[in-house]
Amino acid sequence: MSDFSYQHARQDWGVDELVIRLRHLRLQSLETRQRRDKPPKLPSRKELQKILDGLSAVLFPNRLGLPDLNDEGIDYFVGHTLDTLLRELFKQIRRELVFVAVDDAYQQAVTITREFAKHLPEVRTLLDSDIQAAYEGDPAARSSDEVLVCYPGITAVIHHRLAHILHQLGAPLVARIISEIAHSATGIDIHPGARIGESFFIDHGTGVVIGETAVIGRHVRVYQAVTLGAKRFLKDDDGILVKGNARHPIVEDDVVIYAGATILGRITIGRGSTIGGNVWLTYSVPPGSNITQAHVRSELFRDGGGI
């Protein structure tokens, strides 16, 4: 195609008109959100991905760090990498605080970043327990190293452990972006607000959903397509959804939840219980319960429901 023909075809696409219309819609949206004058930048998903990769390498330098690290160089690698990453994380946290118009965003971002750094040894300890739980809970796992580098559930949990701290410290948007990076990579959706105890194992993992106010105890194992969700969404007098209320399940210690189970509402799954595959559960169960599809159907018909 000649240059003339190419230019003619471009004019037929109506690009100039589209640019005008899109600019109008963009400015209208900014006006609605009161962001018309110099809208602040959001935290960068691309930069946070780099930070997460680096933090994983800092936490596990022998397995996720540089391939040629030796014993003498590990501490230098960890220190140098961590210093660089925390500077970059500070910038992303500051962006969030500026976006939501926090007073003295600079100093607040410094405080959050410092507090986050202090929690990294705790995160490493928790992750060691998660990796060990996966190794002990999966007969296909040949080593804890295999679990760390291969299992999507561990990738998601690494992201969550880091995101949860940021969520608690006052950077919920950065935390949510981190959780969505894991969601995209693994198919596992854990809200950073969820509280999860030690030795947590997600086997296979695709389709797992854990809501914002879920509370999970120690030594809990869940399989693919498990949902810990909300049963209903409360609205205020103006019809607007109420935010932040406790609406997701509490799962106590030593619970196993098999594939496809859906557990909804602020209910409690008692310690040591087993929830069978594809169960739909909206009521609390006592410790030591064994809930299967047949049991749920029996309860529904016995109480007059489902007829």
Side-chain angles (χ1 to χ4, degrees), residues 141-256:
R142 298 183 179 184
S143 68
S144 57
D145 292 327
E146 177 186 359
V147 169
L148 173 60
V149 301
C150 295
Y151 281 39
I154 292 299
T155 299
V157 170
I158 290 173
H159 283 63
H160 175 74
R161 298 293 190 194
L162 296 170
H164 181 69
I165 294 170
L166 290 166
H167 187 274
Q168 296 294 99
L169 290 174
L173 179 55
V174 168
R176 188 61 187 271
I177 293 172
I178 290 172
S179 71
E180 290 306 321
I181 290 171
H183 185 191
S184 297
T186 66
I188 298 168
D189 182 3
I190 310 177
H191 192 285
R195 290 188 285 152
I196 300 177
E198 66 187 55
S199 301
F200 180 54
F201 176 32
I202 303 175
D203 200 357
H204 304 296
T206 304
V208 166
V209 177
I210 300 175
E212 176 187 15
T213 62
V215 179
I216 299 175
R218 299 177 299 168
H219 303 283
V220 170
R221 182 164 82 246
V222 303
Y223 288 80
Q224 66 271 21
V226 165
T227 296
L228 303 180
K231 184 177 181 181
R232 60 177 61 90
F233 302 102
L234 299 177
K235 296 182 179 181
D236 62 20
D237 294 337
D238 297 321
I240 299 173
L241 287 177
V242 176
K243 306 285 186 177
N245 60 309
R247 60 195 183 279
H248 299 101
I250 298 171
V251 179
E252 295 184 344
D253 299 347
D254 303 307
V255 169
V256 179

Side-chain angles (χ1 to χ4, degrees), residues 289-304:
S289 297
N290 187 7
I291 306 299
T292 65
Q293 281 187 298
H295 177 82
V296 172
R297 284 197 296 270
S298 173
E299 290 290 332
L300 285 172
F301 281 98
R302 188 182 66 190
D303 293 338

Side-chain angles (χ1 to χ4, degrees), residues 82-94:
L82 194 53
D83 183 67
T84 301
L85 293 173
L86 291 174
R87 290 175 189 273
E88 294 302 315
L89 179 61
F90 158 76
K91 294 177 185 177
Q92 302 307 314
I93 294 172
R94 184 169 180 264

